[in-house]
Amino acid sequence: MERLVFLLSTGLARGAVLALFALSLVIVYRAARVVNFAQAALAVVPVYVAFAITSATGSYWLGLAAALATGALLGTVVERRLMRLVPQDNPLAGIIVAIGLVMVLQAGLAIAFGPDHRPVHAPFPQRPLEVGGVGLMSPYDLFVLVVAAVVMGGLALLFNRTSLGLQLRAAAFAPETSRLLGVRVPRMVTLGWTLSIATAALAALLLVPTGLGLDPHAADVLFVNAFAAAVVGGLDSPAGALVAGLSVGVLVALVTGYASAAAAPPAVLALLTVVLLVRPQGLFAAREARTA
Amino acid sequence: MSTLTIERLTVGHGDGAAVLDGLDLEVPAGGVVALLGANGAGKTTLLRALLGLVPVRGGRVLLDGADLTGLPTEDRARRGLALVPEGRGVVAELTVAENLRLGALWRDAGRGHTSAARDAAVGQMYELFEPLARRRDAAGHSLSGGERQMLALARALVARPAVLLLDEPSLGLAPLVVAQLLGVLRDQARATGLTVLLAEQNVTGALSVADRGVVLSLGEVVADRPAAALAADPALRHAYLGF
Ligand SMILES: Nc1ncnc2c1ncn2[C@@H]1O[C@H](COP(=O)(O)OP(=O)(O)O)[C@@H](O)[C@H]1O
Ligand SMILES: [Mg+2]
C-alpha cells in the first residue's frame, strides 16, 4: 500500500512533465498539422543554454527563463527559416526535414559540449517527503507539478479566453476561412511553433534533474512517451494530452516499481495499441462535422 | 458606401485555360447585384479571385478606387471585403459565439474598436438571427444547414464590411429558409448601404433582392440589366439559366 501511494505520487509528477511535452506536440500539430519529430532535439538545446546560464550565474531561475526564451526563439526561427520552406503537399517532406534537423542539432550539441552526461541539480530536494510515515513525492516533484499546472492553466487561458487564442484556434482548424476573416494565418503558425518549443523546453528542463543528467539525447525517451500520450489523447486535443500524459506517467511508474524499468516501454506500447484498436482517432479527438 | 470595380480580370486554375478572360464589372456603392449563371460559369472563381484566393493572371480589382491586386487575402478582408464562401465556411470546431467574435475582430479596424463594441455588435446579430441566439454555445458542427448559413451571413455582417460577396447562399436550403435569409440580406443592405454581389443559381430568389442582374456564361458577362427586366425576359432566362 505504501509503495503504491509512493509510486502513484511520483508517477503523477513524471506524468505532469509528459503531459506538458505532449501538449507541446499537440500545439504544433494543431498549428501546422505536423508531428514534429525534431521536438526532443529542439527541447534539449534550450536546456543546454539553461545549464550554461545556471552554471555561470548560480541562479536556477535565470536558467529557467533563458530556457523558455531560447525555446521560443528556436521555435520561431525553425518555422520561419526552415519548416515554412518545406512543400506542404506531402507530409513526408516535413518529417524528413525534421529528422535531418534532429541529426544536425544532436551532432552539434555533441561536438560543442561532448557526448557525456552532465549531472544537473534540482532547485529543490529530491528525497520523498514523508506524511504519516508514508513516503510521497519529493519537494522537487511538487515543484514540477505546480509549474506544469501553472503553465497548462496559462496556455488554456491564452487559447480559450483571449482573441489571440481564438485566432490561433481558428487558424489551426480552418486556415482559409480564417484568412477570409482577416486572421494572419502564417503568423499564427509561427506563434504555434514559438509556444510549442518553449513548452517542450520547459518540460525537458523539468525532466533532466530526475534522470541521468543532460546529454544530447536527454529528451528522447520523453518524446517517445509523450508522443504515445498525445496519440492516445487524440493528437489535436489539449485535454487529451493532459489526461493521457498523466496516465502514461502513472503507468510507467507502476510498471517500473512493480516489475522493472525494462518493462515500461512495452507497457506504453501496449496501451497505445489497445487505445488505437478501440478508438483509432484517440480518446479526446474532435467529433466529425454534421453532414445534414 | 463603397464601390467595387473589376477591370479586365483574367483568372485561370493552375495552367489550364482562363476561366475568366478580361472580365469587366462594377458593383456601385450601395448596390445589390445578382451574379447569375449555371454550374461552371465561373461565379466561384470570380469571387475567390476578388479575395485573392485564386491567383489572377491579369487585370485589377479596386475598392473605392484603391487597387487590391497583390494584397493577401487577410488584408483585403481587413479593408472591408467580406466573402461568405460556397459551403458556408463555418468553423466547425468553434462555437456559434466564437465564430461571431472571430468575425467581429476587425470591425472598424483602426478606429479604436473596443471589446465592448464588439460584444454589442455580436448582440445585434443575435437579434437579427433568433436561432443563433438560442444556440450560441453550440459547436459549429452541430448546426443544421440553415443555421450554418445564418451563422456565415451573421459572421460576415458583424464585421461591418464595405462590400459583401456571397457564393450561392441558398444552395441546399429549404425555400422558407432561403426566403428568410435573403430577406435579412435585403433589409441589411437597405439599412446600412452595404454593397452586395450575390452569386446564385436560384435566379428568382436572387433577382427578388437585387436591383441589378449580371449573367455570367463561360466566364463572360452575357447580360447586365435591371433585376426586374432580367426576371421578365424569358428568352434570356432560357438561353443562359435553363428555365
Ligand atoms: N480548383 C479548380 N481547378 C481547376 N479548375 C477549376 C477549379 N475550380 C473551378 N474550376 C473550373 O472553373 C470553371 C468555373 O468554375 P466555378 O467558378 O466553380 O463555377 P460556378 O461557381 O459558376 O459553378 C469550371 O469549368 C470549373 O471546372
Ligand atoms: Mg460555384
Side-chain angles (χ1 to χ4, degrees):
Chain A
M1 185 60 204
E2 285 175 22
R3 192 168 168 73
L4 179 66
V5 171
F6 170 72
L7 289 175
L8 280 178
S9 61
T10 5
L12 223 51
R14 299 289 178 283
V17 173
L18 270 174
L20 207 53
F21 202 90
L23 184 63
S24 80
L25 289 170
V26 168
I27 291 173
V28 77
Y29 178 78
R30 276 187 161 203
R33 294 289 144 189
V34 294
V35 174
N36 182 23
F37 285 97
Q39 198 85 345
L42 287 169
V44 162
V45 174
V47 180
Y48 271 93
V49 173
F51 183 75
I53 299 268
T54 301
S55 306
T57 63
S59 163
Y60 176 83
W61 308 104
L62 279 180
L64 187 140
L68 287 174
T70 311
L73 183 69
L74 204 55
T76 310
V77 170
V78 163
E79 196 281 325
R80 279 278 158 107
R81 297 275 173 259
L82 187 62
M83 292 303 174
R84 180 169 291 193
L85 310 176
V86 176
Q88 299 289 314
D89 45 8
N90 177 352
L92 207 55
I95 293 174
I96 290 170
V97 169
I99 292 172
L101 186 61
V102 171
M103 292 174 168
V104 170
L105 289 175
Q106 292 189 331
L109 286 174
I111 291 168
F113 298 96
D116 306 329
H117 292 292
R118 287 154 180 266
V120 176
H121 299 291
F124 296 99
Q126 297 225 56
R127 247 178 314 104
L129 290 169
E130 302 225 345
V131 177
V134 180
L136 289 176
M137 58 181 63
S138 69
Y140 181 67
D141 287 340
L142 205 58
F143 167 71
V144 167
L145 268 180
V146 169
V147 170
V150 166
V151 169
M152 285 192 264
L155 285 171
L157 281 181
L158 170 68
F159 276 93
N160 295 313
R161 291 274 177 273
T162 67
S163 57
L164 179 63
L166 181 61
Q167 292 178 63
L168 282 164
R169 283 185 296 146
F173 295 136
E176 188 175 287
T177 303
S178 300
R179 296 185 68 198
L180 285 174
L181 298 173
V183 177
R184 298 201 192 287
V185 173
R187 202 173 285 179
M188 295 303 127
V189 174
T190 307
L191 195 53
W193 276 85
T194 308
L195 289 170
S196 169
I197 306 302
T199 307
L202 178 64
L205 183 73
L206 292 174
L207 173 81
V208 282
T210 65
L212 292 172
L214 182 57
D215 73 297
H217 295 276
D220 288 4
V221 175
L222 176 63
F223 170 77
V224 172
N225 285 339
F227 180 54
V231 172
V232 164
L235 206 52
D236 65 357
S237 163
L242 174 61
V243 172
L246 290 175
S247 308
V248 170
V250 169
L251 177 73
V252 168
L254 290 179
V255 171
T256 306
Y258 285 117
S260 76
V268 173
L269 189 64
L271 174 72
L272 185 63
T273 311
V274 169
V275 169
L276 289 187
L277 282 176
V278 179
R279 253 182 90 84
Q281 71 276 41
L283 294 176
F284 290 75
R287 269 187 300 146
E288 294 288 308
R290 190 172 142 173
T291 46
Chain B
M1 294 212 279
S2 298
T3 306
L4 180 69
T5 313
I6 300 160
E7 285 181 1
R8 297 182 307 285
L9 198 67
T10 301
V11 187
H13 295 279
D15 33 69
V19 174
L20 306 173
D21 198 356
L23 184 98
D24 285 300
L25 182 65
E26 177 161 305
V27 187
V32 178
V33 173
L35 180 67
L36 307 171
N39 264 335
K43 305 183 294 296
T44 299
T45 302
L46 172 60
L47 297 188
R48 290 174 61 81
L50 294 179
L51 260 303
L53 290 172
V54 183
V56 164
R57 291 181 190 164
R60 301 197 300 167
V61 178
L62 308 171
L63 183 61
D64 288 327
D67 194 350
L68 299 181
T69 325
L71 281 185
T73 303
E74 45 273 37
D75 284 314
R76 298 185 196 212
R78 291 181 184 203
R79 292 218 186 168
L81 207 53
L83 169 64
V84 176
E86 200 171 25
R88 335 211 200 281
V90 162
V91 185
E93 294 87 348
L94 300 182
T95 65
V96 169
E98 287 172 334
N99 268 282
L100 287 174
R101 258 199 289 141
L102 196 61
L105 282 181
W106 284 278
R107 181 187 173 89
D108 302 338
R111 270 182 273 156
H113 55 278
T114 65
S115 77
R118 266 187 243 137
D119 290 346
V122 170
Q124 281 171 11
M125 290 303 131
Y126 287 140
E127 280 169 32
L128 218 49
F129 300 96
E130 234 296 294
L132 294 183
R134 275 184 274 119
R135 307 217 55 195
R136 63 181 80 192
D137 293 321
H141 66 70
S142 71
L143 301 183
S144 72
E147 288 166 338
R148 252 185 262 184
Q149 187 64 66
M150 270 178 217
L151 178 53
L153 180 57
R155 193 183 60 191
L157 288 174
V158 79
R160 195 145 58 186
V163 176
L164 177 60
L165 313 170
L166 298 116
D167 197 352
E168 301 208 36
S170 74
L171 201 67
L173 298 184
L176 204 62
V177 179
V178 173
Q180 192 190 350
L181 275 167
L182 292 179
V184 171
L185 180 64
R186 183 189 47 216
D187 296 345
Q188 282 295 303
R190 276 199 197 135
T192 64
L194 179 65
T195 306
V196 178
L197 182 60
L198 169 64
E200 267 296 350
Q201 289 196 62
N202 175 352
V203 176
T204 325
L207 289 179
S208 74
V209 300
D211 37 55
R212 201 174 118 212
V214 172
V215 181
L216 206 60
S217 179
L218 297 176
E220 286 185 33
V221 174
V222 293
D224 184 344
R225 310 214 190 134
L230 204 55
D233 185 341
L236 194 78
R237 277 196 344 229
H238 207 74
Y240 296 108
L241 304 169
F243 75 101

